[in-house]
Coordinates of all heavy atoms in Angstrom, one line a residue:
E1264 N 10.0 3.2 -5.3 CA 11.2 3.0 -6.3 C 11.2 1.4 -6.4 O 11.4 0.8 -7.4 CB 12.5 3.5 -5.8 CG 12.8 4.9 -5.9 CD 12.6 5.4 -7.3 OE1 12.9 4.7 -8.2 OE2 12.0 6.5 -7.5
A1265 N 11.0 0.6 -5.3 CA 10.9 -0.8 -5.2 C 9.8 -1.3 -6.2 O 9.9 -2.4 -6.8 CB 10.9 -1.4 -3.9
I1266 N 8.6 -0.6 -6.1 CA 7.6 -1.1 -7.0 C 7.9 -0.8 -8.4 O 7.6 -1.7 -9.3 CB 6.3 -0.2 -6.6 CG1 5.7 -0.5 -5.4 CG2 5.2 -0.3 -7.7 CD1 4.7 0.3 -4.8
K1267 N 8.8 0.4 -8.7 CA 9.0 0.5 -10.2 C 10.1 -0.6 -10.5 O 10.0 -1.1 -11.8 CB 9.7 2.0 -10.3 CG 8.7 3.1 -10.1 CD 9.4 4.4 -10.2 CE 8.5 5.5 -10.0 NZ 9.2 6.8 -9.8
I1268 N 10.9 -1.0 -9.6 CA 11.9 -1.9 -10.0 C 11.2 -3.3 -10.4 O 11.6 -4.0 -11.3 CB 12.8 -2.2 -8.8 CG1 13.8 -0.9 -8.7 CG2 13.8 -3.4 -9.1 CD1 14.6 -0.9 -7.4
E1269 N 10.2 -3.7 -9.5 CA 9.5 -4.9 -9.8 C 8.9 -4.9 -11.1 O 8.9 -6.0 -11.9 CB 8.5 -5.1 -8.7 CG 7.9 -6.5 -8.5 CD 6.7 -6.7 -9.4 OE1 6.1 -5.8 -9.8 OE2 6.6 -7.9 -9.7
T1270 N 8.2 -3.8 -11.5 CA 7.6 -3.7 -12.8 C 8.5 -3.6 -14.0 O 8.4 -4.4 -15.0 CB 6.8 -2.3 -12.9 OG1 5.9 -2.2 -11.9 CG2 6.1 -2.2 -14.2
D1271 N 9.8 -3.1 -13.8 CA 10.8 -3.0 -14.8 C 11.3 -4.4 -15.1 O 11.6 -4.8 -16.2 CB 12.0 -2.0 -14.5 CG 11.4 -0.6 -14.5 OD1 10.5 -0.2 -15.1 OD2 12.2 0.3 -13.9
I1272 N 11.6 -5.1 -14.0 CA 12.2 -6.4 -14.2 C 11.2 -7.4 -14.8 O 11.5 -8.2 -15.6 CB 12.6 -7.0 -12.8 CG1 13.9 -6.2 -12.3 CG2 12.9 -8.5 -12.8 CD1 14.4 -6.6 -11.0
R1273 N 9.9 -7.2 -14.5 CA 9.0 -8.1 -15.0 C 9.0 -8.1 -16.6 O 8.7 -9.0 -17.3 CB 7.6 -7.8 -14.5 CG 6.5 -8.9 -14.7 CD 5.2 -8.6 -14.4 NE 5.2 -7.9 -13.0 CZ 4.5 -6.7 -12.9 NH1 3.9 -6.1 -13.8 NH2 4.5 -6.0 -11.8
N1274 N 9.3 -6.8 -17.1 CA 9.2 -6.6 -18.5 C 10.6 -6.5 -19.2 O 10.7 -6.1 -20.4 CB 8.4 -5.4 -18.8 CG 6.9 -5.4 -18.1 OD1 6.2 -6.4 -18.3 ND2 6.5 -4.4 -17.6
A1275 N 11.6 -6.6 -18.4 CA 13.0 -6.4 -18.9 C 13.5 -7.6 -19.7 O 13.3 -8.7 -19.5 CB 13.8 -6.0 -17.8

Side-chain angles (χ1 to χ4, degrees):
E1264 292 299 324
I1266 293 173
K1267 294 178 183 177
I1268 293 173
E1269 197 273 337
T1270 303
D1271 292 342
I1272 287 182
R1273 196 187 319 132
N1274 304 316

